Amino acid sequence: MTTPIAPDSAPATTAPTATPVIMDGPIMDGPGFGPGAAGGEGYRSPLLDGLNPQQREAVEYRGPALLIIAGAGSGKTSVLTRRIASLLETREAWPSQILAITFTNKAAAEMRDRVRAILGQGADGMWISTFHSSCVRILRREAEKAGLTSTFSIYDSADTKVTLKRIIKSLDADTLGFTPGNVSARISKLKNELADVDSYARNANMSDPQEVMFVEIFRQYTSRLRAASALDFDDLIGETVYLFRAFPAVAALYRRRFRHLLVDEYQDTNHAQYALVRELTRPVSRELAEEMEADGVHVRNLRDATGAIPGASLTVVGDSDQSIYAFRGADTRNISEFERDFPGTKVILLEQNYRSTQNILSAANAVIGHNFDRKEKKLWSAGGDGEKIVGYTAYSGHDEAQFVADEIEVLHQAGMAYRDMAVFYRTNAQTRALEEILVRAAVPYRVVGGTKFYERAEIKDALAYLISVANPVDELALRRILNTPKRGIGPATETQLASFAEANQITFRQAMRNAGALGLGPKVTGAILALSTLLDEAALKLDPASPAGPANVSELLTFLLDGSTLLAGLRNSRDPQDEARAENIEELVAQTKDFNRENPDSGLVDFLTQVSLVAAADDLDDASGTVSLMTLHTAKGLEYEAVFLTGVEEGLLPHQMSAGEPGGPAEERRLFYVGITRARQRLYLSLAMTRAQFGDINVAMPSRYLQEIPVDLIDWKQSPGMANSRGGTQPRALNARRDGFGGGFGKRDGTPPGLPPAPKPKTEWANRVTGTVRDNGDLTLAAGDRIRHVDFGDGRVNQVTGDGAKRIAHVQFDTAGAKKLLIKIAPIEKL
């Protein structure tokens, strides 16, 4: 017999040792419980204080299913926690009958703390956890029926990849392009769709060698997990669903226990999570209820007139407009089709926003309104219109970054803390120009949920190839690229090379050239010699005596990437993370082209010196914190006083990879909506005329989403009319003022609100900023000194702050205005 479950007090890893008696009613102590806790006639709960009418209805409604469509910043967490507290306060549930599910441990901890703050010890016994944590607790209790030991291991992503690496190696599957990364991503996707190896194999094309190999890898991976009594993270939910479907009596116990199920961020659920929610909220048949009664599990008070136990009450909170995780398997249909899946659903819209100004919300409403298959809602604020959104069209990514740095400084000087500002971007590759300018402009920043550009592994790999050519005796760089990408050269071979070099008093590079003398296998020897030849050929390209002249840095890097297949391997991978890594390397190629153009007389060593200066810049300290840099996906759930949304261009937002995918542009629009609604007071939208794509500098077009924002909401600071559309007389931003032309997006008389008249003659772009840095060594500056800057021209130093490598010059330039410069690397000279 399965052990009935009592309110939890033991850790999840501890299996119950005795059969507890489950009572029909709760025994409650602490605030909110005891005689008169729920008041009486005319009693109004303090839980309702401060709620708007829709929030109050969401807390008080009782029924089989409740869908709370919670717009951004509408106070959904407060509603969810007060709803839980209300169920307990009115004695409609006892703590162990409540299961609240969130997506992150942080969100679960916050919800637990909030409920405990309201109810004190009365909250003990509830399950408030993530999907995965809840499933672990269930599977440990029911391990025997699930075919596991109660001490089963849980493999994280690193464990999974190590296991897959061994399987791929044993099968020589790498020859067919399989890597631990792409196989792991594919298996994860299948498991989130509740597919196992057998169900997949039944529909696989077994005449395709790739499919045959994948099925075998999947089968061996499944077998190894079972042999080790282990589950990976995706198994936790799938195995729980299988358990409930295979053992109805077990499922009945949990359906009987959890009478109120509440799920946060429901728009982010995948198929497996949806199936788990369905299983937990199904009714218990009369036959199973009678069996439970016979086994001593008291269910009398729960049964209806037919003798069955009705399904649990389900409350889900979410917003289909913020569904941005399709690449993780999230299915927005789970929320858009909720009313069909759960008949009798009550739907409540939370539209009052407590975060942003009305101008920001109006822009968000206008953009998201172009998506179909969504619940119509309009976010509004009682806090007033606020400042207009600021738009800016830059010449290049560096110009855009300089605009961001300048505006951050303006806001900071006006009293806004750095920690209250954030810069968003669609891809990690966009951080390169941002970081270079922010470091140079002495703006303290941190990359949230990611790694600084020059600290990323793929960038270090590509730079190591260049370093190996520039400095052939750099053993560290050579060792880094020896087996990157994979060439079958293992650590033992690397050690043999180093020992051979030491014994013969030659360099590591020379040892590579003499790999044939080491007695290694032909495959490994060939791989080492091929790499050595590639580096030697690259070095010859730098010879001034070469008939074609010395190659520039961009040509050299492209040659090395092609010869090593470093970039091609990432492009051909099925791992979505490799796609981002390839974009980062392409951004590095674009950087070398910028360098060649801006420094025609400089070479490889100069480029590597410039990179090392930026990469080695110390993090700046400031009492008001740091500016946060992050992708739009990372930004979800966060909020800032000021938000800079960069790269609002076709190909970036919407991203080029989304164009051909079903629902891709709609999801990208939701991503833009999420970015807009993170801003509380100030929102900046920026784009560039030119942007690097696939290593080339291309003309960038404004995002189609800009056209969806009413023109009177945006104040364009840099006139897009100075760009190159229509002979330089018309703005490129799709919804900006088209001066002198009637219609368009403005008033019929051709005088719409927005931009001042654009200059008619085509002029040089106003802010042409480079990414140049300079090693200033021991340069000392003092107030009153005159300096010359590569981009900003001449200026006067007003003051110098900071110490050592963190000294900052505050300069008033004659034409560019006030700027902050990190003296150590700023491209300046003292006059």
Side-chain angles (χ1 to χ4, degrees):
M1 185 189 85
T2 303
T3 305
I5 306 163
D8 290 275
S9 55
T13 53
T14 307
T17 56
T19 303
V21 177
I22 298 185
M23 306 300 293
D24 280 323
I27 301 172
M28 301 180 180
D29 299 308
F33 299 105
E41 196 173 338
Y43 170 76
R44 176 186 164 84
S45 170
L47 290 173
L48 304 178
D49 291 348
L51 298 181
N52 65 42
Q54 291 74 29
Q55 291 175 324
R56 191 178 309 122
E57 184 181 14
V59 169
E60 293 186 309
Y61 175 78
R62 301 294 183 259
L66 172 62
L67 170 60
I68 302 172
I69 302 292
S74 61
K76 70 178 177 68
T77 305
S78 177
V79 168
L80 206 51
T81 52
R82 295 198 203 198
R83 181 169 172 80
I84 293 170
S86 174
L87 288 167
L88 299 180
E89 184 193 53
T90 56
R91 300 189 179 185
E92 295 166 79
W94 52 312
S96 63
Q97 290 179 315
I98 290 176
L99 170 60
I101 297 177
T102 66
F103 268 79
T104 66
N105 290 315
K106 181 181 176 183
E110 181 186 356
M111 192 177 293
R112 268 194 300 271
D113 291 344
R114 287 205 193 190
V115 176
R116 194 169 284 124
I118 297 170
L119 298 173
Q121 289 183 331
D124 293 346
M126 282 186 298
W127 281 25
I128 301 181
S129 62
T130 63
F131 275 102
H132 293 102
S133 297
S134 300
C135 289
V136 168
R137 296 173 80 170
I138 292 170
L139 289 172
R140 290 216 189 275
R141 293 174 185 278
E142 311 297 341
E144 187 178 340
K145 283 190 169 57
L148 299 161
T149 64
S150 62
T151 56
F152 64 81
S153 302
I154 301 171
Y155 279 17
D156 62 16
S157 59
D159 298 326
T160 291
K161 286 181 179 176
V162 167
T163 306
L164 287 171
K165 182 179 180 181
R166 291 171 182 161
I167 294 169
I168 289 167
K169 186 176 181 181
S170 70
L171 295 171
D172 284 330
D174 54 339
T175 59
L176 289 172
F178 289 103
T179 66
N182 62 34
V183 173
S184 172
R186 196 169 170 191
I187 289 176
S188 175
K189 184 178 181 183
L190 287 169
K191 288 185 175 183
N192 285 332
E193 294 167 355
L194 292 180
D196 59 15
V197 64
D198 292 326
S199 64
Y200 179 77
R202 281 194 293 272
N203 299 309
N205 178 12
M206 300 308 277
S207 62
D208 181 351
Q210 284 256 352
E211 284 288 83
V212 173
M213 181 61 77
F214 174 72
V215 169
E216 182 57 27
I217 295 170
F218 195 177
R219 197 175 297 284
Q220 289 199 23
Y221 175 66
T222 303
S223 298
R224 291 197 186 195
L225 283 178
R226 280 292 170 177
S229 187
L231 300 175
D232 62 26
F233 266 86
D234 297 310
D235 284 327
L236 295 174
I237 297 171
E239 289 294 329
T240 306
V241 173
Y242 299 148
L243 173 75
F244 287 163
R245 290 177 177 175
F247 297 94
V250 174
L253 280 166
Y254 290 90
R255 292 168 189 161
R256 173 242 175 252
R257 172 183 180 148
F258 298 124
R259 302 308 302 150
H260 296 273
L261 183 62
L262 303 98
V263 185
D264 195 12
E265 302 287 5
Y266 192 69
Q267 78 279 349
D268 292 335
T269 51
N270 58 35
H271 178 67
Q273 291 159 341
Y274 164 80
L276 179 66
V277 170
R278 291 286 289 183
E279 291 300 322
L280 283 168
T281 53
R282 294 189 190 279
V284 177
S285 68
R286 180 173 57 83
E287 293 75 19
L288 281 173
E290 288 173 353
E291 281 183 31
M292 294 165 73
E293 192 81 57
D295 287 339
V297 181
H298 294 193
V299 296
R300 194 179 309 111
N301 293 352
L302 299 175
R303 298 171 73 176
D304 60 18
T306 68
I309 301 175
S313 168
L314 173 62
T315 300
V316 302
V317 182
D319 180 5
S320 58
D321 293 339
Q322 296 185 70
S323 180
I324 58 173
Y325 296 124
F327 67 96
R328 293 185 194 166
D331 189 345
T332 187
R333 290 177 302 175
N334 290 348
I335 194 165
S336 64
E337 298 178 4
F338 186 84
E339 294 166 81
R340 190 198 68 185
D341 294 339
F342 298 91
T345 293
K346 170 74 172 178
V347 180
I348 297 175
L349 299 181
L350 301 184
E351 297 175 292
Q352 184 173 356
N353 177 285
Y354 295 92
R355 175 189 300 154
S356 308
T357 64
Q358 189 59 52
N359 278 340
I360 291 170
L361 297 179
S362 295
N365 289 334
V367 168
I368 204 64
H370 285 76
N371 273 1
F372 63 93
D373 195 22
R374 59 182 286 270
K375 278 280 183 196
E376 180 66 28
K377 67 176 184 301
K378 292 286 185 185
L379 296 179
W380 63 276
S381 170
D385 288 344
E387 299 282 345
K388 278 192 175 186
I389 298 165
V390 174
Y392 186 82
T393 306
Y395 179 83
S396 67
H398 281 106
D399 285 325
E400 180 185 44
Q402 188 65 54
F403 163 74
V404 170
D406 289 344
E407 290 297 314
I408 284 172
E409 207 47 45
V410 168
L411 292 173
H412 186 60
Q413 292 297 324
M416 189 179 291
Y418 285 126
R419 71 173 67 89
D420 291 330
M421 296 181 249
V423 183
F424 299 159
Y425 36 83
R426 177 62 180 85
T427 70
N428 281 308
Q430 290 169 254
T431 67
R432 195 264 301 181
L434 285 166
E435 289 188 60
E436 286 177 3
I437 296 299
L438 291 177
V439 166
R440 209 174 71 170
V443 174
Y445 75 93
R446 64 189 180 112
V447 178
V448 179
T451 309
K452 291 187 174 182
F453 186 80
Y454 294 110
E455 293 173 4
R456 291 172 190 152
E458 63 275 13
I459 297 302
K460 286 189 170 185
D461 293 340
L463 289 172
Y465 273 93
L466 290 176
I467 292 167
S468 298
V469 174
N471 181 13
V473 297
D474 189 329
E475 184 176 328
L476 194 65
L478 287 165
R479 284 188 172 217
R480 184 175 187 100
I481 65 172
L482 192 62
N483 197 40
T484 303
K486 296 282 188 279
R487 299 186 176 91
I489 304 171
T493 302
E494 185 181 325
T495 303
Q496 277 183 271
L497 276 169
S499 300
F500 181 81
E502 187 177 351
N504 292 278
Q505 294 187 315
I506 58 177
T507 66
F508 193 87
R509 176 75 170 274
Q510 289 171 321
M512 289 171 62
R513 292 192 185 103
N514 291 283
L518 270 70
L520 303 168
K523 183 179 176 183
V524 174
T525 301
I528 296 171
L529 291 174
L531 174 60
S532 180
T533 300
L534 175 69
L535 296 175
D536 287 342
E537 289 176 356
L540 286 173
K541 285 182 173 292
L542 294 179
D543 187 352
S546 170
N552 61 36
V553 182
S554 175
E555 292 166 343
L556 186 70
L557 179 57
T558 302
F559 174 78
L560 289 166
L561 291 175
D562 290 343
S564 67
T565 71
L566 179 65
L567 181 55
L570 293 172
R571 278 179 177 162
N572 296 330
S573 169
R574 293 187 181 182
D575 186 343
Q577 290 182 318
D578 283 344
E579 179 190 311
R581 294 183 183 110
E583 286 181 348
N584 291 337
I585 292 182
E586 286 159 359
E587 178 63 24
L588 184 67
V589 174
Q591 179 186 5
T592 61
K593 293 184 178 182
D594 284 346
F595 178 82
N596 295 335
R597 190 168 52 253
E598 294 163 5
N599 307 276
D601 298 325
S602 299
L604 176 59
V605 173
D606 300 305
F607 173 75
L608 292 171
T609 301
Q610 178 168 311
V611 167
S612 65
L613 285 172
V614 176
D618 297 321
D619 288 337
L620 293 165
D621 308 310
D622 191 273
S624 72
T626 56
V627 175
S628 297
L629 271 60
M630 70 190 79
T631 64
L632 282 163
H633 282 101
T634 303
K636 188 167 181 292
L638 303 175
E639 56 184 77
Y640 297 89
E641 290 297 317
V643 162
F644 294 82
L645 220 164
T646 63
V648 191
E649 302 150 24
E650 289 292 311
L652 277 179
L653 190 66
H655 194 274
Q656 58 199 4
M657 299 298 290
S658 74
E661 297 177 5
E667 172 136 340
E668 294 286 302
R669 186 179 280 109
R670 292 194 290 270
L671 199 54
F672 187 39
Y673 172 84
V674 165
I676 290 172
T677 54
R678 300 309 95 196
R680 286 200 284 255
Q681 298 296 326
R682 302 300 304 270
L683 175 63
Y684 298 79
L685 303 176
S686 61
L687 58 148
M689 266 184 66
T690 59
R691 184 78 67 174
Q693 286 184 315
F694 302 113
D696 294 320
I697 306 299
N698 298 320
V699 173
M701 293 303 296
S703 169
R704 68 193 73 174
Y705 304 144
L706 280 175
Q707 182 176 343
E708 298 168 358
I709 301 175
V711 66
D712 58 329
L713 295 178
I714 304 183
D715 176 18
W716 288 96
K717 276 209 162 187
Q718 170 74 55
S719 169
M722 294 175 67
N724 61 359
S725 75
R726 292 188 183 264
T729 63
Q730 285 204 359
R732 301 171 76 254
L734 298 182
N735 70 334
R737 176 178 179 176
R738 277 154 169 68
D739 190 69
F741 290 81
F745 299 96
K747 298 175 185 176
R748 292 187 179 179
D749 64 358
T751 57
L755 291 172
K760 291 296 182 285
K762 187 172 181 180
T763 59
E764 180 64 27
W765 195 256
N767 284 330
R768 189 78 187 266
V769 176
T770 66
T772 310
V773 295
R774 184 175 294 163
D775 187 353
N776 289 317
D778 298 324
L779 175 66
T780 56
L781 293 176
D785 286 345
R786 294 283 295 176
I787 63 166
R788 178 164 295 154
H789 190 284
V790 166
D791 298 322
F792 307 136
D794 294 352
R796 179 181 179 277
V797 177
N798 288 335
Q799 63 169 326
V800 176
T801 58
D803 299 307
K806 297 181 181 180
R807 285 179 304 131
I808 297 168
H810 300 255
V811 184
Q812 181 67 41
F813 286 98
D814 299 345
T815 56
K819 307 281 183 186
K820 273 195 332 182
L821 305 174
L822 187 65
I823 295 174
K824 177 184 174 184
I825 65 167
I828 56 175
E829 58 181 331
K830 194 172 176 179
L831 298 179

